[in-house]
Structures are given as C-alpha cells and as structure tokens.
Amino acid sequence: MKKALLLAAALAVTTSASAAGKLEIFSWWSGDEGPALEALIKLYKQKYPSVTVDNATVSGGAGTNAKAVLKTRMLGGTPPDSFQAHAGQELIGTWVVAGRMEDLSSLFKSEGWDKVFPKDLVKLISQGGKPWSVPVNVHRSNVMWYNPAKLKAWGVTAPKTWPEFLKTCSTLKAKGVAAPLVVGENWTQQHLWESVMIGTLGSANWENLWAGKLKFTDPKVVGAFTTFGKVMDCANKDASGLSWQQASDRIIDGTSAFNVMGDWAAGYFTTTKKLAPNTGFGWAPAPGTTKTFVMLADSFGLPKGAKDRAEALNWLKVLGSKAGQDAFNPLKGSIAARTDSDLSKYNTYSKSAAADWKSNKIVGSMVHGAVAPESFTSAFGAIIDQFVASKNSAAAAAAAQQLAVRAGISK
C-alpha cells in the first residue's frame, strides 16, 4: 500500500512537471530589440501560462556570436527547442541540408499559413517543396536614414543614386561635416556594400550574381567595388568601434548625415529613442534602389531532438499568428510576414514599407542570409576588411569569386 502511494505520488509529480512544461527560445535579440521579443513571450505565456520560458539570448555582431554558440549545441546534440535564423539559405544551407531540422509542412497546413504568407516568401524558406521555418517578420535592408532637420540646415536632400551621393558627400565636407556617412563594425559595412552593389548593378544582375550567372570578376562587379570604395571614403574612421545603434545615434545628433541600415533602425528610433517618423528621423531607399525591396526575414525552426517539442510547436504557432506578428513587428520596426496584418497598429514608416513590399521588385539580402549560404556570408567579412584597407577592387572581386566557388554559388 505504501509503495503504491509512493508510486502514485511520483506519477503525480511527473505529470505535474510535464504539464507545467518548459521552452527554451534561442536568439540574438537583446537590448533595443528585446522589447519586441518580450511581447511575443508575453503572448505565449498568456496562451500557455504553465510553461516556463527560458529566453536564451546571445547578443552581439548581428547574430554572429549566437550562431557560433548554436553551432556548438547543434553539433553536440543539445539543440535549443527553437532558434532564430534568417529565412532562406542561412538556415537551409546549414542545418536543413545536414538533416537536423524538422519539416513543418503539416504545421503550415493546419495553421493555414500557405494562404497568408506570400508565395515568394514561402519559396524562400522552402527546400524540396517543404517549409523549414516560420517567418515572424519582413525587414528591408536597403534604407538610408537621416535627420530631416539637419539635412534642411545643410541644404541637401537624400541622394537618389550613388554618383549623386558622392557629390552630396563633397558638398557636406565643404560645410564642415567630417564624415557625411556613418558606418559601424564590419557587418554594417557589408550591409552598406550590399546596397551599393544593388544600386550600381541593378536587381537583375544582383540575382544573377547569386544564381551563378554573373561572376564577381565581371567588370561590372569590379566597378561596383570601386564605387563602394569611394562611398567608404565618405565614412567615419572609427567604424570598427561602433555598434549599429551607436552609428544610428550619430544621425540623430547630427554628427553625420546618412546611414544605410535595415529598418530595425526604425524600431530603435521609435521604441528606444522615442522619435517620431518624418520629424525625428527620415528615410529613403538606398541610392540606386528605388522600387527595389531588399528583404530579409527572421524566422524560427524546430530542430530534431528538441527536448520540449510540443511547447516549441506551440511557440511556432504563436509566431505565425496574426496576433503574434502584430504584437512583435510594430516594436521591432519590421512589417508582418503575413498579408492580413492590422496596419492600424503600425507607424508611418512601417505602413510605407508595407506598401513597398506589395509593389516593389523583391530581392533577397546576402548579408542577412536570404540568398547566400553561411559558408559564404561567414567568410565574406574578411574580404570587406581587406578591401576597406587596400581599396583594391580587382583583388576583392577575385577573392569573392573564389569564395563563391567554394560555397557552391558559382563555377
């Protein structure tokens, strides 16, 4: 009898612990991007109040630090329950091809996501006709930010082409602006490189570059590297010591005139700095990219062997829901991946981005994992560092071509 009671008590404890549940969410969202993630976690806890959520965030380097930790855990057989990855080749080319992710086809079907996520986006997150992650947002990479009051005081406007930008740079330097353009650490310079390339080559050639139809050593690409070098001559000399937020601050305080950054900067300006769109900060497509939307999407997948699989699936359901996306994106500065979002919840910038998302030519970001595998993106930073130091366009293009061949992008 005593043994039976003890067994019953043990089962009760086990059942209670199982009912309570746990969920580990792994991401690089912290600091100024933290409130958006917390909004999702809050919604999840409202739906599943008995689950303990471990917000396992690894900050720094636009995800590079988190990816290093994730690699150790995935290869070591201790994956998180669900982890953040840029939608597209960053996840597919690394963990899907390695057979370490679960196919989410049944989840997409049960939640009706094939009807609310754009077809081009579903194609981006799919391999072999199967979706492998749930996109929680859409970001725009090619945005040039500025302080409207300062541009007015300097008598300049946001340039529409890179040659026009170089002229504006000379004008501002003559007015005493030492660094008309502000950039930060290496990845922000790669981010700028991407917009210069697309603005110089055009969207079709950008797509050809990643389809292996255009080589990095093509004269057009070498010339775009040269333009990038001239653009970097307009930038601050202490870039390596600045985070993207610190670079953004120099736009606000008028130290610099322009910064090319993704539209998470809008979230930073509005949520952290409490600035109003069009007055506290302004924006325009990066030079040469009008009518082009360079996209990236944050997404979460389900690794094989997740300890709390049921809780992770419920997390993915929250991420893909209308309520989840409309809670997260207004704080993040992004737009919903779903096409049925409630735009009344979004600010002026986000409404303009949503309109462009529906009307512009859509191309994927390299820096943020949409069009190139991590084997390329993780090594490209060294090429940019070397180029910024030497300004040798031919050498940089040759090095990039060699990397593209090794990554299976080009022959």
Side-chain angles (χ1 to χ4, degrees):
M1 181 69 177
K2 185 176 181 180
K3 288 183 177 179
L5 289 171
L6 288 172
L7 179 59
L11 286 172
V13 171
T14 301
T15 303
S16 175
S18 176
K22 295 180 180 179
L23 172 68
E24 183 190 11
I25 303 163
F26 187 91
S27 79
W28 58 79
W29 286 325
S30 63
D32 300 303
E33 293 179 301
L37 177 58
E38 288 297 333
L40 280 175
I41 294 173
K42 181 180 179 181
L43 184 60
Y44 181 88
K45 287 181 176 179
Q46 288 172 354
K47 290 179 175 292
Y48 309 101
S50 63
V51 178
T52 300
V53 178
D54 178 9
N55 181 7
T57 298
V58 179
S59 62
T64 54
N65 297 341
K67 291 170 194 173
V69 175
L70 177 65
K71 182 177 182 180
T72 299
R73 293 189 57 178
M74 292 289 280
L75 296 179
T78 58
D81 294 324
S82 186
F83 63 86
Q84 176 191 3
H86 288 129
Q89 285 301 310
E90 179 176 292
L91 178 71
I92 293 170
T94 305
W95 301 119
V96 173
V97 297
R100 294 180 181 270
M101 302 299 295
E102 287 200 31
D103 167 19
L104 300 179
S105 296
S106 60
L107 184 63
F108 268 66
K109 185 176 181 179
S110 67
E111 298 302 303
W113 288 337
D114 56 330
K115 297 180 178 65
V116 294
F117 289 143
K119 290 181 180 179
D120 287 344
L121 181 56
V122 174
K123 183 179 178 181
L124 183 73
I125 60 178
S126 298
Q127 176 92 331
K130 302 173 182 178
W132 298 94
S133 65
V134 179
V136 67
N137 65 359
V138 169
H139 271 300
R140 187 176 195 173
S141 162
N142 59 314
V143 188
M144 174 172 274
W145 305 95
Y146 56 86
N147 181 327
K150 294 302 295 185
L151 291 200
K152 184 177 181 180
W154 288 321
V156 299
T157 57
K160 290 181 168 51
T161 66
W162 286 111
E164 184 183 335
F165 169 85
L166 295 175
K167 292 180 181 178
T168 302
C169 172
S170 297
T171 298
L172 289 169
K173 284 187 174 182
K175 292 177 179 288
V177 182
L181 175 71
V182 59
V183 294
E185 57 189 310
N186 177 277
W187 76 264
T188 73
Q189 296 168 45
Q190 295 181 60
H191 187 106
L192 172 65
W193 173 88
E194 179 172 273
S195 278
V196 174
M197 281 285 152
I198 297 169
T200 304
L201 295 174
S203 58
N205 278 328
W206 175 253
E207 291 179 321
N208 287 339
L209 198 59
W210 305 110
K213 298 177 182 178
L214 179 67
K215 294 184 183 297
F216 279 87
T217 48
D218 185 282
K220 293 189 290 289
V221 182
V222 176
F225 263 105
T226 299
T227 299
F228 174 62
K230 293 177 180 178
V231 170
M232 283 297 293
D233 286 339
C234 294
N236 50 306
K237 305 305 179 186
D238 61 344
S240 62
L242 297 183
S243 67
W244 71 265
Q245 294 97 328
Q246 289 171 321
S248 298
D249 288 342
R250 294 194 181 180
I251 298 301
I252 297 170
D253 66 23
T255 302
S256 292
F258 304 110
N259 174 236
V260 174
M261 184 47 55
D263 55 12
W264 46 91
Y268 175 67
F269 290 141
T270 57
T271 303
T272 302
K273 294 298 182 179
K274 311 299 182 186
L275 298 173
N278 288 324
T279 54
F281 66 96
W283 65 91
T289 68
T290 301
K291 299 298 182 182
T292 299
F293 193 114
V294 186
M295 69 142 292
L296 58 139
D298 292 300
S299 67
F300 282 76
L302 180 62
K304 291 180 178 179
K307 289 183 178 181
D308 307 293
R309 185 177 182 275
E311 288 78 8
L313 282 169
N314 286 335
W315 166 249
L316 295 179
K317 290 177 183 178
V318 169
L319 293 183
S321 70
K322 182 177 179 180
Q325 302 219 345
D326 284 344
F328 175 83
N329 287 295
L331 296 175
K332 185 67 165 58
S334 47
I335 59 176
R338 296 175 63 110
T339 56
D340 60 350
S341 61
D342 182 359
L343 289 179
S344 69
K345 298 178 182 293
Y346 294 76
N347 66 25
T348 303
Y349 168 76
S350 296
K351 289 175 181 176
S352 75
D356 288 345
W357 172 242
K358 293 178 180 179
S359 64
N360 283 192
K361 166 67 178 174
I362 308 298
V363 299
S365 164
M366 178 282 289
V367 181
H368 303 287
V371 295
E374 194 170 357
S375 56
F376 183 94
T377 59
S378 62
F380 187 68
I383 294 174
I384 291 298
D385 273 342
Q386 191 168 21
F387 174 75
V388 170
S390 69
K391 301 293 170 62
N392 189 327
S393 300
Q401 179 61 26
Q402 291 173 2
L403 181 58
V405 171
R406 291 198 301 271
I409 296 168
S410 184
K411 294 181 180 180

